[in-house]
Structures are given as structure tokens and as C-alpha cells.
Amino acid sequence: MNRLLLGIEIDTMKRKKTQKAKGVVMMDKVLRLENSFEVEVEEDAVVHVQLGWDMKRGGLKEKIEGQVAAAVIGISEKGYDLNLAAIVEHDTQEAELVFHHGPGGCGADRSGAVLLSKDDRSGFGGGSDEDLRVRLKEVPESVQRIVFFMNIGGANVLDQHLTDVDNVFVQIQNEKNCRVYLREEEAFCCERAQEYCCYTFAELCRKGRGWVLHGVSRYSKEDSELETMRAFCDR
């Protein structure tokens, strides 16, 4: 499995064991991730994170039925609820979860600098289905790391996995100059993805007065954003 970064293939299979720490949600006690690459991000960048996918199971009728059921009861065996989310970690206060819907979270952090602006649960059409933007100049100084991940909501109940969905991709770019920092597709169709419904793909870390983007690869079985938040912070 290779990761494409600005035309350079990065081998992400050479991963060390993830370091585990115990404690609450302060920066020195959260789950650390193994980095596959590091790239500097412009200080004034608007970091645009995108998630896109297409439905796989059944024909158009079944897909529409799945979306109607999902809208009424939240999940459906004929549809998928792919979600993009971020964990915003501070050095002086508890971490924040940025996601759509559900108790304990919302589509933006307290400052409004990290914002989910699109939530398309249909998977129809081209382009991205979920969009998240980070305006670096507006991020509070207390924020030290922002972790980006995606999942399939309710996947464990419905026995759904990443490979059940077609054409899944995540992309991170600078919205101001269209520089692509990361685009990942193979992670969602490889053999390993058959066992999981959640994937953490990048973290944005403060470095001095600037920021760096780390590409990471963490498969897991949490099918809700709150579960992933706990996996990172309740250690």
C-alpha cells in the first residue's frame, strides 16, 4: 500500500508500534501516531480536508431506499453513513471533537477555525461528499494538534467495512494555492481495509510558529466519532 504525496510514493507499511499513554485529554497524555511523512504547511493556509465516496450495494432504487431509511432511523443496511471528523487538542484544556450530529459534538470547534461545511450522506455524484476547513491564522494558540479521521457510522451493527464502499478517497490541500499535501485512495480498498470501518489519515501539528502535516495510517473498528475520541484521549 503506497501513499501519494506530491508525486512521491511513500511506503506506509513500515510503521512502528503506536506508543500508548495513560491519562486524560491533555496533550502529553493522548494517543500518539506514527508518521509516514511530514510536510510544512504555509502559516496563512486554509487547509481543506475532503472525503468522497460512491455507493456500492444494489441499484439506484436500493440506494435511495437506504438513504431514506438512514434519514429516518440513522442507519440502514442498504446505505452507508461515511463521516469526516477532527479531534482538536489543546495544551491547556480538554480536546474538542468536530463532527456532524450526535451528542457532545458539533460541526465546528469553539473558535470556529475548524469547520465542517458539507455533510452529504448520499454518496451520489462526483467530487467530495464531506468538507472540513482549518483556517490556520484563526486557530487558538492553545491548539497543538488536529487529528483527521473518517468512519462508517453504525458499521458494527450492520457489518459494514471500508471496502464495502466504492471510490473512497481523502484529500488535503491548501485552498488558497491549490497545493495538494495528501491524497489517499488505496488505503480504502486494500486487503487490510476489509476488517475495519474507521481510518485516521493525518494530523496537523504546531511546530514553533508554523504547522506541519503528518500523514498517518491507523485502522480501527470504532463506528462513531465519540468512540474514536475516547480511543485517543482515554488512555
Side-chain angles (χ1 to χ4, degrees), residues 110-150:
R110 287 185 288 266
S111 72
V114 183
L115 176 67
L116 269 167
S117 57
K118 185 179 181 182
D119 180 26
D120 182 353
R121 301 179 68 181
S122 70
F124 294 155
S128 65
D129 297 283
E130 305 241 347
D131 291 290
L132 183 150
R133 289 174 174 81
V134 181
R135 301 183 183 278
L136 291 183
K137 284 210 166 184
E138 300 175 16
V139 174
E141 292 185 5
S142 63
V143 175
Q144 299 299 310
R145 182 172 76 152
I146 304 172
V147 179
F148 304 108
F149 67 95
M150 58 76 64

Side-chain angles (χ1 to χ4, degrees), residues 30-95:
V30 296
L31 175 66
R32 312 313 304 177
L33 293 170
E34 176 64 20
N35 304 330
S36 61
F37 68 83
E38 176 179 299
V39 59
E40 292 187 2
V41 178
E42 295 84 345
E43 293 182 10
D44 63 342
V46 176
V47 178
H48 185 194
V49 185
Q50 299 171 285
L51 167 66
W53 77 92
D54 295 319
M55 293 295 185
K56 176 178 282 188
R57 291 181 180 172
L60 179 60
K61 180 181 178 181
E62 287 182 297
K63 293 175 182 178
I64 294 175
E65 288 176 348
Q67 291 308 308
V68 171
V72 175
I73 64 174
I75 59 175
S76 169
E77 62 181 7
K78 294 182 179 180
Y80 303 91
D81 181 19
L82 271 70
N83 303 290
L84 179 63
I87 300 170
V88 181
E89 296 175 356
H90 299 258
D91 60 359
T92 58
Q93 56 186 301
E94 291 189 348

Side-chain angles (χ1 to χ4, degrees), residues 1-3 12-13 15 18 31 33-34 148-151 161-163 168 170 184-202 216-223 228 231-232 235:
M1 178 181 63
N2 292 322
R3 173 172 299 222
T12 61
M13 293 303 292
R15 292 184 294 271
T18 303
L31 175 66
L33 293 170
E34 176 64 20
F148 304 108
F149 67 95
M150 58 76 64
N151 67 22
H161 305 90
L162 295 173
T163 50
V168 183
V170 290
E184 180 71 275
E185 300 177 18
E186 293 185 19
F188 305 106
C189 56
C190 66
E191 183 177 353
R192 191 177 182 192
Q194 297 176 7
E195 304 175 21
Y196 299 97
C197 59
C198 182
Y199 187 69
T200 303
F201 54 90
V216 300
S217 181
R218 174 186 179 266
Y219 291 93
S220 56
K221 296 184 178 181
E222 307 103 17
D223 64 353
T228 302
F232 272 82
R235 288 176 176 264

Side-chain angles (χ1 to χ4, degrees), residues 162-186:
L162 295 173
T163 50
D164 291 338
V165 191
D166 269 345
N167 303 321
V168 183
F169 74 88
V170 290
Q171 179 168 296
I172 303 178
Q173 69 178 50
N174 185 341
E175 192 170 68
K176 288 190 173 183
N177 59 20
C178 297
R179 178 188 178 191
V180 176
Y181 300 120
L182 176 152
R183 184 178 176 94
E184 180 71 275
E185 300 177 18
E186 293 185 19

